[in-house]
Amino acid sequence: MKAFRVVLVLIVFLATAFAGEGARTTPAPLLPPQFSGWQISGSPKMSNDPAVADPANAALLKEYGFTDFESAVYAREDGRKLTLKAARFADATGSYGAFTYYKLPQMLKETIPDQAASLNERVLFYRGNVLVDVVFEKLSAMSAAELRELSEALPLPAGNSRNLPSLPAYLPKLGYVKNTAKYVVGPVGLEKISSPLPAQLVDFSVGSEVAMGTYQTSDGQATLILISYPTPQIAAEHLRQLDAARQSTPQQKESIATPNSPPVNILPVTMGPVFDKRTGPMLVIATGAISSAEAKSLLSLVNYEADVTWNENTYTGKKNNLGNLILNIFLLCAILMAFSAVAGLAFGGIRIFFNRILPESVLHREKEMEFISLNLSEGEEAAANSNVSSSIKAG
């Protein structure tokens, strides 16, 4: 009997383990079976291999934190069709970065959550940690509204996984060339976006991230690169490395060691004039067709601001408002004064009413009343007279 129990427990344990493993390897559905009149046609294609989603950029998708992919064809009753591809990432940082990579300069902005862009029959948007690529067979006036409904049906990540990276927000608006902002988190992405700065200088091993944009200048176009590091000290160290590499000749290689890592070979920067500065944990680098004055002006537009989150309850409701408290105090005083006035009038009125219907003896004392008198003054006069009599007798 005891052996049977042991075998039973072992079987239950193994079944649970295999079920959990299956739940981890089988991705949850990304796409809804229908939305806004569109019905899924056939079986959707699902995979957790980035090469299935995009064979040419599989390494890039993996770098962004790719988890799974799903594609399907949808159809309407009028015969129209669309092809829909959705890629899910570990968090919104990955979906946003992939969106900036796939977005083309000639695309137009669309109002589909969270961000969207379109070119002819193709619409690209992301929602939370899901990137969606839609190709319509034929567009209609309601296509954007239909995709907005689709975006609401997509699963959203929990907690902080939905937070977008803050680094791209530091790219200045002045002189910015539309749809040129890119966001990468690794060397593959940096190479894909044709960054003039080599990955060795960025050093993604310390947890850095890069935002890059193109800017129009009087001499042509310049590139602005923002590199975010975990701490200002790490940023200052990499700024020294960048300046040393920039000053080296093209035939040289410089071995630069960081305090917490072995020496690495840093290739010299061969991207023309370079202007840089550090602001907090960020490096700001301008290069390309840009004068010294314009570069300084562009760099001055980027200034790090610490983001402090206050998560304590500030109690700003009506219940805890000081103005409401003072107003309620005055209101209470007015109520008490009104109550006192009404009570006084009622008490006086009742006495007058009873004086009219009842005898005076009920509410008033009798007009003639005997008082107990001690006659203290008479006692003092008697004592004085007795003293005078004693003095005469003595005399």
Side-chain angles (χ1 to χ4, degrees):
M1 189 68 180
K2 185 177 179 180
F4 175 75
R5 291 180 179 176
V6 172
V7 173
L8 181 62
V9 170
L10 183 60
I11 292 174
V12 172
F13 174 77
L14 292 176
T16 305
F18 281 116
E21 185 66 23
R24 286 192 294 269
T25 57
T26 303
L30 265 176
L31 302 177
Q34 61 182 9
F35 68 93
S36 192
W38 292 92
Q39 299 283 341
I40 197 166
S41 177
S43 300
K45 183 179 181 181
M46 304 172 64
S47 175
N48 54 10
D49 184 3
V52 176
D54 187 354
N57 295 294
L60 176 65
L61 294 179
K62 186 176 180 180
E63 191 173 76
Y64 278 129
F66 173 89
T67 60
D68 58 285
F69 165 81
E70 184 174 347
S71 65
V73 176
Y74 286 79
R76 293 183 67 93
E77 293 182 353
D78 57 4
R80 288 186 295 145
K81 294 183 179 181
L82 65 82
T83 303
L84 203 156
K85 299 178 181 179
R88 179 158 43 193
F89 298 84
D91 52 34
T93 296
S95 61
Y96 171 78
F99 174 77
T100 63
Y101 174 75
Y102 287 109
K103 184 173 61 174
L104 301 176
Q106 60 269 33
M107 280 185 164
L108 302 177
K109 184 178 179 180
E110 299 290 344
T111 56
I112 302 171
D114 291 329
Q115 292 187 43
S118 67
L119 179 63
N120 299 327
E121 287 78 22
R122 184 190 179 196
V123 180
L124 182 71
F125 72 93
Y126 73 92
R127 168 79 166 170
N129 62 338
V130 179
L131 177 69
V132 181
D133 192 349
V134 186
V135 178
F136 284 88
E137 191 178 75
K138 183 180 179 181
L139 288 171
S140 69
M142 298 301 295
S143 295
E146 293 166 356
L147 292 183
R148 281 192 288 270
E149 183 174 328
L150 170 64
S151 70
E152 297 296 330
L154 296 175
L156 292 176
N160 296 331
S161 298
R162 194 178 174 183
N163 294 343
L164 293 174
S166 59
L167 183 62
Y170 286 97
L171 289 172
K173 299 292 190 296
L174 184 64
Y176 170 72
V177 178
K178 184 185 70 171
N179 292 342
T180 59
K182 305 295 180 184
Y183 174 78
V184 297
V185 293
V188 177
L190 196 69
E191 182 181 0
K192 289 282 187 179
I193 63 175
S194 302
S195 168
L197 194 66
Q200 295 95 325
L201 286 177
V202 176
D203 190 11
F204 289 100
S205 65
V206 298
S208 57
E209 51 184 332
V210 175
M212 188 178 78
T214 303
Y215 289 80
Q216 191 67 44
T217 67
S218 59
D219 297 329
Q221 288 188 343
T223 301
L224 185 68
I225 305 172
L226 308 182
I227 310 175
S228 176
Y229 292 97
T231 66
Q233 292 77 14
I234 297 177
E237 175 63 27
H238 283 80
L239 179 61
R240 288 191 289 269
Q241 295 182 15
L242 175 62
D243 291 338
R246 182 161 51 89
Q247 294 170 5
S248 62
T249 61
Q251 291 78 21
Q252 293 175 332
K253 282 187 179 181
E254 185 173 355
S255 179
I256 301 177
T258 58
N260 299 320
S261 63
V264 293
N265 289 326
I266 301 297
L267 295 176
V269 180
T270 58
M271 51 185 176
V274 177
F275 307 90
D276 56 29
K277 77 167 188 178
R278 181 181 68 85
T279 171
M282 289 195 312
L283 297 187
V284 187
I285 304 163
T287 184
I290 187 170
S291 64
S292 176
E294 285 183 305
K296 291 179 180 179
S297 177
L298 183 60
L299 294 180
S300 67
L301 297 176
V302 183
N303 295 287
Y304 175 75
E305 295 180 1
D307 185 13
V308 179
T309 302
W310 184 266
N311 54 12
E312 291 290 335
N313 196 340
T314 54
Y315 300 106
T316 57
K318 292 183 178 180
K319 179 181 177 181
N320 301 281
N321 190 291
L322 181 60
N324 287 336
L325 176 63
I326 296 175
L327 179 63
N328 290 333
I329 290 174
F330 280 107
L331 183 61
L332 177 61
C333 292
I335 292 174
L336 292 176
M337 292 174 61
F339 177 77
S340 299
V342 171
L345 292 174
F347 181 73
I350 291 173
R351 290 183 63 88
I352 295 174
F353 174 74
F354 280 108
N355 282 339
R356 291 184 178 276
I357 64 174
L358 296 176
E360 292 185 357
S361 60
V362 176
L363 297 177
H364 297 278
R365 293 178 180 179
E366 296 181 358
K367 292 183 178 179
E368 296 181 359
M369 297 182 64
E370 293 184 359
F371 290 92
I372 300 174
S373 178
L374 298 178
N375 297 321
L376 297 178
S377 60
E378 294 179 359
E380 292 176 356
E381 291 177 357
N385 292 335
S386 63
N387 290 336
V388 171
S389 299
S390 301
S391 298
I392 293 173
K393 288 180 180 180

